[in-house]
Amino acid sequence: MRISHKRNIQRKLHKQKPLLTNTTSAVNNTLKIETVIETAEIVDVVASKPIVASKSVVALTPKQQQVLDIVVNHTDGLNPKGIGLEAGQEEAKAAAWATGALKKLTEERLVERIQLEGNKVLYKAL
């Protein structure tokens, strides 16, 4: 690798570092402000009304919602290819189509991932 090329890459990397630190500090400051505002609102609500436990609302994309509906309909579990085929995708692209939505749904704990032997996976609704 040429030294001039290395120097240019290093220069570009150093230019980006201040941007990232300013962005993260701004995000942290806004998060602190939002949490302070939220706690003040909660105190007012608690004083006037009894506490009611509610399930947190998760914003899902239409694709994620479609995948979740398919998984819920199959109580015994379904693999990503089966989910994609149920959604009307081509056989070659079915598993890849469903994988992104399934990853988000497992992070949100709406779907359970069950590892079978080898690389086989089933997804079940919780």
Side-chain angles (χ1 to χ4, degrees):
M1 185 180 287
R2 292 186 334 218
I3 292 177
S4 61
H5 178 68
K6 253 180 148 174
R7 195 175 7 193
N8 288 336
I9 300 250
Q10 289 297 324
R11 189 178 318 133
K12 288 179 185 178
L13 290 174
H14 288 297
K15 284 182 183 179
Q16 291 177 353
K17 283 184 181 177
L19 281 175
L20 294 176
T21 56
N22 291 339
T23 308
T24 55
S25 64
V27 169
N28 289 337
N29 290 340
T30 56
L31 289 176
K32 289 178 185 176
I33 293 169
E34 288 177 7
T35 54
V36 169
I37 292 171
E38 288 177 8
T39 55
E41 291 173 4
I42 291 172
V43 170
D44 293 337
V45 172
V46 170
S48 62
K49 296 180 182 177
I51 299 174
V52 177
S54 63
K55 189 174 181 180
S56 62
V57 178
V58 179
L60 297 176
T61 63
K63 178 179 175 180
Q64 292 168 350
Q65 186 63 46
Q66 182 181 10
V67 169
L68 181 62
D69 293 338
I70 292 170
V71 172
V72 168
N73 290 339
H74 292 81
T75 57
D76 57 337
L78 198 59
N79 61 359
K81 185 175 182 178
I83 294 169
L85 291 174
E86 284 280 325
Q89 297 296 315
E90 297 176 14
E91 189 170 342
K93 299 178 184 178
W97 179 86
T99 304
L102 287 168
K103 183 177 180 182
K104 172 72 175 183
L105 292 172
T106 54
E107 287 174 0
E108 297 294 334
R109 304 217 186 261
L110 297 172
V111 173
E112 178 185 10
R113 182 178 191 264
I114 301 168
Q115 182 74 39
L116 300 176
E117 72 277 348
N119 59 353
K120 296 182 181 181
V121 178
L122 285 182
Y123 290 92
K124 287 186 180 182
L126 293 178

